[in-house]
Amino acid sequence: MKIGLRDVDGHRFPNLCLMKLSAYHKARGDTVEWHDGRKHYDLVYMSRVFTDTYSKDYTGTVHADMVIRGGTGYGLDSKLPDEVEHTCPDYSLYPQFAGTAYGFLSRGCPRGCGFCIVGEKEGRRSVAVADLSEFWHGEKEIKLLDANLLACPDWERLLGQLSESGANVDFTQGLDVRLATPEKVEALNRVKTKMLHFAWDNPKDDLTPHFRRFAGLTSIQDSRKRRVYVLTNFGSTQEEDLYRI
């Protein structure tokens, strides 16, 4: 089969779904390339992470016997088949990001924040879905896409895998500082990181004591390497936004 891939959001960040689909089809002997509107394909996959607020849908020409659209930008119901979901991504699709591995060790989050789709899409429990070896094969950097790894019952085993890798780990979605117990912080201390990301999105939650506790336990004493995401103008006043910042 001749397969075309369309990253609707652009190429500013690797599309994990398309990388897995590419690896899956190449392993089956199919030809895979980025979609070219002048060509005809047996099958075209169009993947879109964001809605119109952040990226516009593709309106160009698609010549294909079949078109499959997926990703949260199109809706929450589409999911990869298990045999594709657990395929190691084809990192050659994005050579500009060579040397970095991307993936999920866990899915889901118990918080259910109103601005976030994770609870509806992945569930209100954080559960382990993969081992690190599924998407990491010696790359120097790992970008972890988990919504709330510290809420996962298997946090110790998964953080241990990250520690043993020796790679620089970026917890891209922000860690839940409320769950940073001394045992979990000790495990995080063993993970090689350039930066730790946290999130303080709800002004009604006073996370100040949790951050102070974490600061006293972490081995990362340079505060410039501890970053906090703050959601503003979502049911919050300017004073509440500035207080969190």
Side-chain angles (χ1 to χ4, degrees):
M1 294 178 66
K2 186 175 182 180
I3 309 295
L5 306 176
R6 169 62 60 174
D7 184 345
V8 177
D9 301 300
H11 293 252
R12 295 179 295 275
F13 193 88
N15 185 296
L16 185 60
C17 173
L18 292 180
M19 287 194 290
K20 290 183 177 183
L21 285 166
S22 176
Y24 173 77
H25 278 284
K26 286 181 177 178
R28 292 165 58 92
D30 297 329
T31 299
V32 182
E33 66 180 33
W34 288 117
H35 168 255
D36 184 334
R38 299 166 297 181
K39 298 180 180 180
H40 184 276
Y41 297 89
D42 297 300
L43 172 60
V44 168
Y45 291 104
M46 298 176 64
S47 180
R48 186 183 184 200
V49 176
F50 301 107
T51 60
D52 287 338
T53 304
Y54 297 100
S55 65
K56 301 299 181 183
D57 198 3
Y58 178 70
T59 58
T61 303
V62 178
H63 299 294
D65 295 336
M66 180 183 295
V67 178
I68 297 179
R69 295 173 174 85
T72 51
Y74 289 123
L76 304 183
D77 296 330
S78 59
K79 294 184 178 180
L80 292 175
D82 280 348
E83 64 267 28
V84 180
E85 179 65 44
H86 295 285
T87 296
C88 184
D90 177 8
Y91 293 118
S92 69
L93 280 184
Y94 295 90
Q96 66 271 40
F97 300 111
T100 302
Y102 297 81
F104 292 86
L105 293 176
S106 67
R107 294 272 194 174
C109 176
R111 298 300 176 189
C113 300
F115 59 86
C116 181
I117 65 170
V118 170
E120 183 179 357
K121 180 175 183 285
E122 301 180 0
R124 292 287 298 272
R125 292 179 62 249
S126 177
V127 296
V129 295
D131 286 323
L132 183 60
S133 59
E134 188 169 290
F135 59 88
W136 175 78
H137 293 105
E139 289 83 4
K140 294 182 179 180
E141 185 174 13
I142 298 168
K143 286 194 178 290
L144 202 64
L145 309 179
D146 300 39
N148 198 333
L149 178 60
L150 296 186
C152 180
D154 291 322
W155 63 267
E156 187 171 15
R157 177 174 61 85
L158 299 178
L159 287 176
Q161 292 178 6
L162 293 171
S163 172
E164 291 169 5
S165 75
N168 276 307
V169 179
D170 181 2
F171 298 91
T172 64
Q173 301 306 298
L175 293 165
D176 191 337
V177 73
R178 289 164 289 192
L179 302 177
T181 63
E183 295 78 16
K184 292 177 181 178
V185 177
E186 183 179 351
L188 282 170
N189 285 341
R190 294 192 288 270
V191 178
K192 186 177 179 182
T193 59
K194 293 180 180 178
M195 174 78 67
L196 279 182
H197 296 100
F198 297 91
W200 189 359
D201 295 317
N202 187 351
K204 305 303 186 287
D205 296 329
D206 186 4
L207 303 187
T208 304
H210 298 284
F211 282 116
R212 286 176 176 160
R213 181 190 65 197
F214 180 84
L217 295 170
T218 181
S219 60
I220 301 178
Q221 293 304 309
D222 186 347
S223 61
R224 293 171 298 179
K225 295 183 179 181
R226 305 195 302 255
R227 182 171 295 172
V228 181
Y229 298 132
V230 175
L231 176 67
T232 63
N233 295 323
F234 187 84
S236 60
T237 66
Q238 187 177 52
E239 289 74 17
E240 288 173 326
D241 294 340
L242 291 173
Y243 173 76
R244 286 177 293 150
I245 291 169

